[in-house]
Amino acid sequence: MAFFRQYIAPLIVVIIFLFALFVVSARIFLPGDMTAPAPLGTIPGFLVSTQYLINNIRV
């Protein structure tokens, strides 16, 4: 068990970190339209469900 804690577990953590670093860095190579900010328009149906929740809150 000590072998796993000293060698295997840290190796797994480093591999996960390097994979996450690679995935985040890969955003540089995405096409320009995918790196644009999200639209500012209203989400259809969101306003209706929010009003329903606000009207039915009981304190």
Side-chain angles (χ1 to χ4, degrees):
M1 192 63 160
F3 178 79
F4 180 78
R5 265 191 245 144
Q6 289 180 346
Y7 297 105
I8 305 300
L11 181 66
I12 291 172
V13 170
V14 169
I15 289 173
I16 291 173
F17 172 77
L18 291 175
F19 177 72
L21 183 65
F22 171 75
V23 169
V24 170
S25 299
R27 293 181 61 200
I28 297 168
F29 302 106
L30 290 174
D33 59 337
M34 293 184 71
T35 58
L40 297 175
T42 322
I43 301 170
F46 180 73
L47 190 58
V48 174
S49 61
T50 306
Q51 287 175 349
Y52 175 78
L53 288 173
I54 291 174
N55 291 336
N56 290 326
I57 292 177
R58 298 178 189 215
V59 181

